[in-house]
Amino acid sequence: MRQPYRSCTLEKLIAVLMLLSATLSGCMLQTTPPGPNAVSGAVDGGGYLLLQWPAGLTIMIWDDIHGSHENSGGGSTSDPVFHQQGYAEAADGRHYAYTVETRDGKVGELRIDNQPYDLAQGALFLVQTRGGHTTVQQLTHDLSAIEPTNAGCEAFGQRDTVVAEFIRQAQAAE
């Protein structure tokens, strides 16, 4: 009479082990979403950064820093979030840093100098560092047609009247 009981218990144990194995393998298969096409460059009086993910998230930052711009990104298979970070620094010490995090390349979180910005409120940012503090203007301009090249970014900066005026003011302040 004990044989059927052991068989049932063994079957349950095997089922539990299979479920645990499937759960663990599913967790280990997490991957970081692909990174963005990243384009950065300088114009007279400032610089720009375009981050464009294949899944649709696009962020553009223009600033009044004619100096060093660095950015890098990455993730790991144990982290489902892609992390992008960078900074801009002028020779006179003005600077700001940014971070972007995304789980899917469609939506994300942006921070400039640790200040969070809701990308649903716009993904174009004008960062001014003159005057001893950093100010950020967030805009809702359409970024979908920007070609992820330096020429594409610079053409956008010339076509968009608000960005063009920002660049003009940055040039005049130098």
Side-chain angles (χ1 to χ4, degrees), residues 53-153:
W53 275 263
L57 177 61
T58 300
I59 299 169
M60 185 169 228
I61 301 172
W62 286 84
D63 61 49
D64 65 353
I65 293 180
H66 191 69
S68 177
H69 289 77
E70 298 290 331
N71 64 78
S72 64
S76 71
T77 55
S78 63
D79 185 354
V81 178
F82 182 88
H83 303 272
Q84 180 81 26
Q85 60 275 334
Y87 68 90
E89 184 172 14
D92 62 8
R94 294 177 294 118
H95 66 279
Y96 72 92
Y98 77 89
T99 60
V100 178
E101 295 181 347
T102 181
R103 291 182 173 276
D104 58 7
K106 296 177 186 175
V107 296
E109 180 181 300
L110 171 71
R111 292 178 172 272
I112 297 176
D113 282 348
N114 288 321
Q115 174 68 40
Y117 292 89
D118 179 0
L119 295 173
Q121 302 299 315
L124 174 61
F125 296 86
L126 306 179
V127 180
Q128 185 175 9
T129 60
R130 298 207 184 271
H133 62 282
T134 301
T135 59
V136 178
Q137 184 179 4
Q138 183 176 11
L139 305 167
T140 58
H141 298 207
D142 182 12
L143 306 176
S144 63
I146 299 174
E147 182 183 338
T149 63
N150 290 101
C153 292

Side-chain angles (χ1 to χ4, degrees), residues 43 62 151-165 167:
V43 295
W62 286 84
C153 292
E154 291 171 18
F156 174 81
Q158 293 168 356
R159 271 192 324 268
D160 186 285
T161 57
V162 176
V163 174
E165 178 61 18
I167 295 167

